[in-house]
């Protein structure tokens, strides 16, 4: 793309405050306030995301300032978070930005370039034929918890606060308005008008529903309580667990939610109690991929074993239904995964419509939502309860008995307008141009690429956070008037009786620990031996063995970027480089940093497909991770327009390279 569409410094604008070593954004701003914008060719900005990324933004961060050089500017990829310029993007704190990127990394696995612009104006929608994988299903369930789950819990706790009468003035105001409008038959118009006010005037939300930490509110009484984590270490999590970086606590809750749900499901199938330790059974397998039994069959086999142990054989009817039922369940998993993704997408779009994040417009989505409710409000003013029930009866009867008419109309529309259902989707009508969090994130990443200043990756979390309250715990809660300072102090500070995973608790002596350690030692030796033979197999040309070389990380983090990404290609150590100084940005790979002759080069504009791949098979990962306690470096597969495939392996910065590749060019992506 070159520099088209990015901010071009005008005459006299190249001067940054010289001699200043601070990271304040004011010192990084150009001298003039009137930057010139080079008009790009239409094909350079095929979607609204591309246009917004290359626009002139009123509020600028460090990544939105064109530094006037052809080379990429490092904004602190390997620096401590406190040393990174703040803000990186105008209108968004660095912690909020890194939270979006961290969740984006977990959500995106596989993207393909679209030949035509998407209907809704924004790319990176989920493909209808999205591939199924257990990891993606897990990621979608965790995302559903983070969006809908946490949102619904927060909503219910607001209801509990209102019903408790502990905030007497607020509850009294709601009650007077409710019963007053009910008495004069204006209850429905009042509720709709109230929703319109909440939509178009954001300050009304905090006035009518003052915020409070979710973990601090008792869902039964509406009063305050001790957070279940024993300390108020975060405001947006359900347990109040401490976190080192914003959003990490609730993300860990989502992961534990899926783990707990899985444990309950397996325990129900096998008849075991939840507290049964399953690690010993995991340690019995010390082979690699081909010799490891498929864990998805454990529940089925264990259920049969339970029936046999109870004194009976599974009868023939059950045996005949086993395979069809299993096949039917697995055939629907992709639909379930897609449905959870669609629900989360819809929730995120409504959230971003009500509270837009720059550079997306803030007023337009709210006005569109309010405009939809305006005619409903008008109709409700002239509709009594009898007419309302009469119309509902008509619609229910038509939907139940008019199936032949509905079927013929749908067949006609499918024949004459094949995409009519797509056109009527809410993302292409009411919420057109409103992004999901993934679409918002890719736009923010494109902003950095447009100005040759890629956004730094989220900071490494490292050791667990201390079990202490966060800095602002208990502040700005004056609206909880019935709560004394002593009660609030006791609620937000650590409780010695409640322990978390970060607390040091004396462990009981485990009789099977030595046996388990011995099994683990044998498994570790087997893993190291098996992976060691990969060097011999790779030497004689084994492609799979080459891809497994170097997958086990060796200790400390050796980060690089934003242009240099250490990795392997066909088993050989080297570096992937992104070059932007040429006319066309290029991804190349060389064996040495000083080697000017790359082994291969791919123009960014020619990339057609990018897929994250695992360094090891998923069954092998279970055993290797348990036996060695070492991280596994994964890889990435890149496919160009000619169908040529290049697989880079053993990458510590896979997510960062993936993000740069999908945001540098003018491609329109679809998530698979």
């Amino acid at each position: 793309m070159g520099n088209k569409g990015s901010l071009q410094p005008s005459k006299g604008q190249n001067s940054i405050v010289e001699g200043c070593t601070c990271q304040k954004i004011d010192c990084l701003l150009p001298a003039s306030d009137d930057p010139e914008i080079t008009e790009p060719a239409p094909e350079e900005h095929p979607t609204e995301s591309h246009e917004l990324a290359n626009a002139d933004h009123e509020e600028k961060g460090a990544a939105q300032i064109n530094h006037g050089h052809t080379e990429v500017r490092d904004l602190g990829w390997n620096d401590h978070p406190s040393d990174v310029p703040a803000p990186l993007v105008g209108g968004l704190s660095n912690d909020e930005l890194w939270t979006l990127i961290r969740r984006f990394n977990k959500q995106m696995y596989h993207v393909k370039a679209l030949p035509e612009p998407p209907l809704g104006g924004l790319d990176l929608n989920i493909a209808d034929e999205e591939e199924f994988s257990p990891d993606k299903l897990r990621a979608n369930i965790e995302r559903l918890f983070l969006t809908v789950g946490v949102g619904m819990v927060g909503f219910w706790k607001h209801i509990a606060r209102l019903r408790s009468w502990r905030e007497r003035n607020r509850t009294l105001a709601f009650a007077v308005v409710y019963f007053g409008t009910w008495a004069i038959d204006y209850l429905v118009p009042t509720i709709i008008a109230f929703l319109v006010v909440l939509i178009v005037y954001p300050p009304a939300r905090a006035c009518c529903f003052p915020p409070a930490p979710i973990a601090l509110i008792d869902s039964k009484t509406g009063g305050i309580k001790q957070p279940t984590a024993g300390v108020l270490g975060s405001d947006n999590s359900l347990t109040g667990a401490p976190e080192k970086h914003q959003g990490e606590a609730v993300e860990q809750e989502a992961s534990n939610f899926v783990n707990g749900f899985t444990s309950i499901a397996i325990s129900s199938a096998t008849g075991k109690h939840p507290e049964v330790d399953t690690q010993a059974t995991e340690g019995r397998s010390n082979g690699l991929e081909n010799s490891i039994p498929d864990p998805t069959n454990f529940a089925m086999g264990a259920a049969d074993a339970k029936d046999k142990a109870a004194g009976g054989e599974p009868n023939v009817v059950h045996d005949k239904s086993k395979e069809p039922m299993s096949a039917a369940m697995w055939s629907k998993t992709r639909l379930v995964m897609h449905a959870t993704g669609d629900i989360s997408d819809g929730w995120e779009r409504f959230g971003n419509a009500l509270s837009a994040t720059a550079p997306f417009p803030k007023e337009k989505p709210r006005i569109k939502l309010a405009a939809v409710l305006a005619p409903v409000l008008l109709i409700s003013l002239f509709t009594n309860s009898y007419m309302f029930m009469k119309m509902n009866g008509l619609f229910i009867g038509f939907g139940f008995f008019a199936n032949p008419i509905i079927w013929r109309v749908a067949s006609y529309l499918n024949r004459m307008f094949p995409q009519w259902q797509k056109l009527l989707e809410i993302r292409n009508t009411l919420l057109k141009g409103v992004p999901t969090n993934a679409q918002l994130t890719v736009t923010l990443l494109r902003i950095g690429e447009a100005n040759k200043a890629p956004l730094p990756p989220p900071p490494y979390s490292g050791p667990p956070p201390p079990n202490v309250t966060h800095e602002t715990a208990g502040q700005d809660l004056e609206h909880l008037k019935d709560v004394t300072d002593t009660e609030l102090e006791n609620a937000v500070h650590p409780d010695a009786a409640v322990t978390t995973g970060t607390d040091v608790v004396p462990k009981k002596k485990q009789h099977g620990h030595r046996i388990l350690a011995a099994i683990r030692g044998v498994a570790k030796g087997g893993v190291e031996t098996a992976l060691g033979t990969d060097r011999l197999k790779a030497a004689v040309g084994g492609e799979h063995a080459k891809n497994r070389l170097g997958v086990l990380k060796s200790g400390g983090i050796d980060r690089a970027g934003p242009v240099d990404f250490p990795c392997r290609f066909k088993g050989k150590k080297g570096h992937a480089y992104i070059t932007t100084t040429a006319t066309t940005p290029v991804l190349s790979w060389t064996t040495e940093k000083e080697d000017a002759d790359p082994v291969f080069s791919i123009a960014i504009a020619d990339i057609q497909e990018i897929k994250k791949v695992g360094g090891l098979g998923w069954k092998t990962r279970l055993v290797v991770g348990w036996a060695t306690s070492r991280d596994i470096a994964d890889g990435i597969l890149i496919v160009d327009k000619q169908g040529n495939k290049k697989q880079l392996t053993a990458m510590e910065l896979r997510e960062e390279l993936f993000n740069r590749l999908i945001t540098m060019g003018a491609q329109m992506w679809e998530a698979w």
Side-chain angles (χ1 to χ4, degrees):
M1 285 175 51
N3 283 332
K4 290 187 177 181
S6 60
L7 299 180
Q8 302 295 324
S10 59
K11 189 174 182 179
Q13 245 185 328
N14 290 334
S15 59
I16 307 295
V17 178
E18 297 183 1
C20 180
T21 59
C22 72
Q23 297 291 344
K24 299 299 183 182
I25 191 61
D26 294 338
C27 297
L28 300 174
L29 286 171
S32 173
D33 295 326
D34 301 315
E36 297 178 359
I37 302 178
T38 303
E39 290 297 331
E43 61 272 10
E44 292 275 349
H45 303 158
T47 69
E48 294 182 23
S49 174
H50 292 83
E51 291 180 1
L52 290 170
N54 288 271
D56 183 14
H57 309 114
E58 294 182 2
E59 189 175 359
K60 292 181 174 64
Q64 293 163 291
I65 303 170
N66 191 298
H67 52 86
H69 300 287
T70 57
E71 294 183 357
V72 165
R73 179 186 176 195
D74 188 347
L75 291 177
W77 276 55
N78 299 286
D79 295 344
H80 190 273
S82 60
D83 297 328
V84 176
L88 289 165
V89 178
L92 197 66
S93 70
N94 286 357
D95 283 335
E96 292 172 324
L97 174 64
W98 284 328
T99 299
L100 287 170
I101 296 176
R102 191 170 58 245
R103 296 177 183 179
F104 177 85
N105 292 342
K106 199 165 188 178
Q107 180 184 348
M108 288 296 132
Y109 286 88
H110 186 190
V111 295
K112 294 182 181 179
L114 290 170
E116 298 178 356
L119 292 174
L122 295 172
D123 62 335
L124 212 62
N125 293 300
I126 300 174
D128 293 333
E129 300 81 15
E130 179 187 16
E131 299 170 344
F132 171 80
S133 73
D135 279 346
K136 290 172 68 175
L137 177 61
R138 179 190 178 92
N140 275 354
I141 295 175
E142 290 183 7
R143 182 169 163 240
L144 188 69
F145 177 92
L146 291 170
T147 54
V148 181
V150 174
M152 293 304 295
V153 171
F155 172 76
W156 174 249
K157 291 197 173 185
H158 269 294
I159 299 300
R161 287 168 57 189
L162 275 174
R163 296 182 63 198
S164 70
W165 284 87
R166 293 175 182 270
E167 302 169 54
R168 188 172 292 105
N169 292 340
R170 186 163 68 104
T171 304
L172 181 62
F174 272 91
V176 169
V177 172
Y178 182 91
F179 287 109
T181 54
W182 169 81
I184 61 176
D185 290 333
Y186 270 86
L187 180 60
V188 174
T190 302
I191 293 176
I192 297 174
F194 181 58
L195 291 176
V196 171
V197 172
L198 293 179
I199 290 172
V200 299
Y201 189 60
R205 304 170 198 169
C207 179
C208 297
F209 302 99
I214 299 177
L216 203 60
I217 302 300
D218 192 323
S219 59
K220 295 181 180 179
T221 65
I224 66 170
K225 66 167 186 175
Q226 179 79 47
T228 52
V231 58
L232 186 62
S234 55
D235 285 342
N236 297 322
S237 63
L238 302 186
T239 62
E243 59 186 9
K244 294 186 71 173
H245 304 289
Q246 180 176 318
E248 287 184 339
V250 70
E251 290 166 14
Q252 190 60 44
E253 288 175 353
S255 178
N256 291 331
F257 170 79
V258 178
N259 290 341
F261 185 81
T262 304
S263 176
I264 293 171
I266 294 178
S267 299
S268 300
T270 59
K272 294 187 297 184
H273 294 287
E275 64 270 15
V276 173
D277 185 10
T278 60
Q279 287 188 345
T281 59
E282 293 177 4
R284 293 173 186 165
S285 299
N286 58 6
L288 286 181
E289 190 72 19
N290 294 332
S291 60
I292 301 170
D294 190 343
T296 57
N297 294 329
F298 286 173
M300 289 284 192
D304 286 347
K306 183 190 68 172
D307 292 339
K308 292 178 182 179
E313 277 296 318
N315 60 45
V316 178
V317 175
H318 290 169
D319 288 340
K320 288 185 177 180
S321 66
K322 179 178 178 179
E323 292 299 330
M325 285 301 298
S326 179
M329 291 294 293
W330 279 103
S331 66
K332 302 300 181 183
T333 51
R334 187 175 66 84
L335 298 178
V336 172
M337 183 182 70
H338 196 78
T340 56
D342 284 343
I343 294 172
S344 299
D345 281 350
W347 188 277
E348 290 175 355
R349 285 192 177 97
F350 273 106
N352 289 327
L354 295 173
S355 301
T357 301
F360 285 88
K362 297 183 179 181
E363 301 295 336
K364 183 178 177 181
R366 295 203 293 260
I367 293 174
K368 287 173 66 176
L369 290 175
V372 171
L373 291 178
V376 179
L377 174 61
L378 186 63
I379 293 173
S380 67
L381 293 173
F382 303 99
T383 304
N384 55 34
S385 57
Y386 172 78
M387 295 173 61
F388 179 76
M389 295 302 297
K390 199 73 172 177
M391 287 188 297
N392 279 346
L394 174 63
F395 293 145
I396 293 173
F398 183 82
F400 191 86
F401 295 107
N403 187 59
I405 298 175
I406 297 174
W407 183 80
R408 285 181 173 82
V409 172
S411 299
Y412 173 79
L413 291 175
N414 289 334
R415 186 171 61 255
M416 300 301 296
F417 309 98
Q419 289 190 330
W420 70 275
Q421 291 175 317
K422 286 284 185 185
L423 293 172
L424 294 180
E425 287 182 357
I426 194 169
R427 68 181 180 183
N428 298 324
T429 51
L430 179 61
L431 297 180
K432 184 176 181 179
V434 178
T436 63
N437 286 350
Q439 292 170 330
L440 169 62
T441 306
V442 80
T443 303
L444 297 175
L445 291 169
R446 280 171 174 156
I447 288 175
E449 297 295 342
N451 294 284
K452 300 291 185 69
L455 299 180
Y460 175 66
S461 184
N467 189 34
V468 296
T469 58
H470 65 85
E471 295 179 355
T472 60
Q475 298 181 11
D476 299 326
L477 296 177
E478 294 79 7
H479 47 274
L480 302 177
K481 296 182 179 179
D482 287 351
V483 179
T484 64
D485 293 340
T486 303
E487 291 176 328
L488 190 60
E489 185 78 8
N490 293 334
V492 301
H493 282 82
D495 185 354
V498 181
T499 59
T500 65
T502 60
D503 298 323
V504 179
V505 181
K507 295 183 178 179
K508 295 182 179 179
K509 187 176 181 180
Q510 298 179 355
H511 298 289
H513 179 71
R514 292 184 179 179
I515 299 176
L516 184 60
I519 296 175
R520 184 173 182 176
V522 173
K524 182 177 180 180
V527 166
E528 292 177 349
T529 301
L531 293 178
T533 59
D534 284 338
R535 297 186 180 278
L536 300 176
K537 295 178 181 178
V540 297
E543 291 298 327
H544 294 294
K546 291 179 181 179
N547 292 336
R548 288 195 295 268
L549 292 179
V551 295
L552 291 184
K553 295 182 180 179
S554 56
I557 299 177
D558 186 17
R559 305 181 72 88
V563 297
D564 175 17
F565 300 88
C567 60
R568 290 177 182 252
F569 177 64
K570 294 185 177 181
K572 295 181 179 180
K573 288 185 178 180
H575 299 261
Y577 289 96
I578 294 180
T579 306
T580 58
T581 54
T583 305
T584 302
V586 172
L587 170 69
S588 57
W589 187 88
T590 62
T591 55
E592 299 293 340
K593 288 186 177 182
E594 297 80 11
D595 192 353
D597 187 16
V599 175
F600 72 83
S601 296
I602 302 177
I604 301 297
D606 290 339
I607 296 177
Q608 184 68 20
E609 180 180 350
I610 307 175
K611 183 178 183 179
K612 297 177 183 177
V613 293
L616 296 172
W618 70 285
K619 291 185 290 181
T620 307
R621 294 177 72 94
L622 294 177
V623 175
V624 172
W626 174 78
T628 65
S629 299
R630 291 169 64 182
D631 292 334
I632 297 172
D634 295 316
I636 191 171
L637 178 66
I638 303 168
V639 184
D640 63 17
K641 293 180 179 179
Q642 289 73 38
N644 300 318
K645 298 180 180 179
K646 304 296 181 183
Q647 183 169 336
L648 303 176
T649 59
M651 299 191 66
E652 290 192 6
L653 293 178
R654 179 188 67 168
E655 310 294 343
E656 289 71 22
L657 177 60
F658 180 91
N659 293 347
R660 286 214 64 192
L661 292 179
I662 67 172
T663 54
M664 290 184 65
Q667 292 98 324
M668 302 163 292
W669 301 107
E670 188 174 46
W672 280 71

